Amino acid sequence: MLLTIDCGNTNTVFAIWDGTEFVASWRRATNAHSTGDEYYTWLRTSMTLRSLDVEITECIISSTVPRVVFNLRVLCDRYYDTRPLVVGKPDCALPVAPRVDAGTTVGPDRLVNTAAGFDRHGGDLIVVDFGTATTFDVVDHDGAYVGGVIAPGVNLSLEALHMAAAALPHVDITQPQRVVGSNTVACMQSGIFWGYVGLIKEIAARIKSERSRPMKVVSTGGLAPLFQQADTLFDVYEDDLTMHGLTVIHKHNKE
């Protein structure tokens, strides 16, 4: 069995792939201080609660938090007796190398989403990922990552608004009934929601214009379905895009 680990700035997802499908997945808060022993104890307990008894023989990691990688390596080496592939490291080959400015380091999550998007939908894609940041990844016709856009994440923007303006409360993101709010919470929700709808539409349109070709827009991340309600922003939503990309890269390295 393959253990896939996607470590983001906010959450880390662990999933077990049997070669055909994911048999289980778990999400926990990202903590740079968690040790390999703590990861194993938590993961073993989570598997037991699901009555899941499988043998993990291979591991692959994507992490946007460099400090976490060491302890995840310890988890794989000490408890599963395997050296994990780490996306972005020299010994982890990509199906197609990114084409970006010399010296540029591309986030592992963006490389994984690129591989997954191309595997499922072919080339000429815009992958929109709603994470701590809202990212737009541009995938060329042959599956190469060729650049993109990084904007503040939705929840990050809400938190910044709350922290910077003492009179404004913390609110949850939701689609407001009307654009014009009649109270403070409704005004904030409208500004964030419709502001991001406009941001997504405008950036996607400008990417398509700059590339001068038809492009499919693929969304992923927890808030993507919420924004899909507002307008036809995306051609398709993928809830497991990043985890699928890890299996694609792992298969490529085995072959």
Side-chain angles (χ1 to χ4, degrees), residues 175-191 194:
Q175 181 176 356
Q177 295 181 344
R178 298 188 300 271
V179 175
V180 179
S182 56
N183 57 70
T184 300
V185 170
C187 289
M188 292 174 65
Q189 290 176 331
S190 183
W194 293 112

Side-chain angles (χ1 to χ4, degrees), residues 128 130 200 217-219 224-225 227-228 231-237:
V128 185
F130 291 85
I200 295 162
V217 183
V218 180
S219 68
F227 285 96
Q228 183 63 37
D231 206 339
T232 308
L233 298 176
F234 317 115
D235 295 297
V236 62
Y237 165 66

Side-chain angles (χ1 to χ4, degrees), residues 64-147:
T64 58
V65 187
R67 291 182 298 166
V68 175
V69 174
F70 175 79
N71 286 322
L72 290 175
R73 284 184 182 271
V74 172
L75 164 71
C76 299
D77 179 62
R78 180 176 298 168
Y79 291 102
Y80 301 120
D81 193 28
T82 180
R83 178 180 174 84
L85 282 170
V86 180
V87 179
K89 298 298 183 182
D91 60 346
C92 182
L94 298 172
V96 183
R99 290 194 288 271
V100 292
D101 293 343
T104 299
T105 300
V106 182
D109 55 332
R110 310 185 80 175
L111 298 174
V112 173
N113 284 346
T114 295
F118 182 72
D119 183 69
R120 285 184 169 172
H121 303 287
D124 292 325
L125 300 178
I126 302 170
V127 180
V128 185
D129 190 351
F130 291 85
T132 304
T134 301
T135 60
F136 297 72
D137 302 326
V138 179
V139 184
D140 210 349
H141 65 93
D142 61 348
Y145 171 86
V146 293

Side-chain angles (χ1 to χ4, degrees), residues 210-248:
E210 191 171 279
R211 300 286 294 171
S212 301
R213 67 186 71 176
M215 302 188 75
K216 180 180 288 186
V217 183
V218 180
S219 68
T220 191
L223 290 176
L226 173 65
F227 285 96
Q228 183 63 37
Q229 298 174 19
D231 206 339
T232 308
L233 298 176
F234 317 115
D235 295 297
V236 62
Y237 165 66
E238 298 276 8
D239 63 346
D240 65 342
L241 190 71
T242 304
M243 304 312 288
H244 176 69
L246 287 172
T247 69
V248 171

